Amino acid sequence: GEEEVSLGDLNMRLGILTRLDLGTRIYINADRSVPYGEVMAVMNRMRSEGYLKIGLVGLEDEGGAAPAGAGDVATAPPAAAAQDAAE
């Protein structure tokens, strides 16, 4: 959803929302004011719990178009990404 979750509560909320299905695709939305390191900390926390299908939601620029290369970015390790593509 669109609700904020603290890093300390992230694992519990993910477990509840995904019903512990580690194959659930999860999207992260952060505006430009959020430091890169904080976004990476969230993604690393998710990956450490076993969630490997993580995507980034691209921001729209002021003209209304998504920046080049924005959108779903796979963060799974290459072996997992290859397996996911094979399914």
Side-chain angles (χ1 to χ4, degrees):
E2 295 291 324
E3 73 182 71
E4 293 182 22
V5 178
S6 71
L7 192 57
D9 291 339
L10 182 62
N11 294 346
M12 178 184 68
R13 294 291 298 151
L14 279 176
I16 292 169
L17 293 172
T18 65
R19 294 183 175 103
L20 300 175
D21 178 3
L22 298 178
T24 302
R25 187 168 301 277
I26 300 170
Y27 296 95
I28 298 174
N29 182 9
D31 64 38
R32 294 172 197 239
S33 67
V34 178
Y36 177 78
E38 289 184 27
V39 175
M40 295 287 56
V42 169
M43 292 176 71
N44 287 335
R45 176 72 62 97
M46 291 174 163
R47 288 172 51 140
S48 72
E49 287 298 307
Y51 294 97
L52 301 179
K53 295 181 179 182
I54 304 169
L56 299 175
V57 177
L59 299 173
E60 292 186 6
D61 67 11
E62 291 156 12
D72 186 16
V73 178
T75 57
Q83 179 183 2
D84 193 36
E87 292 176 1

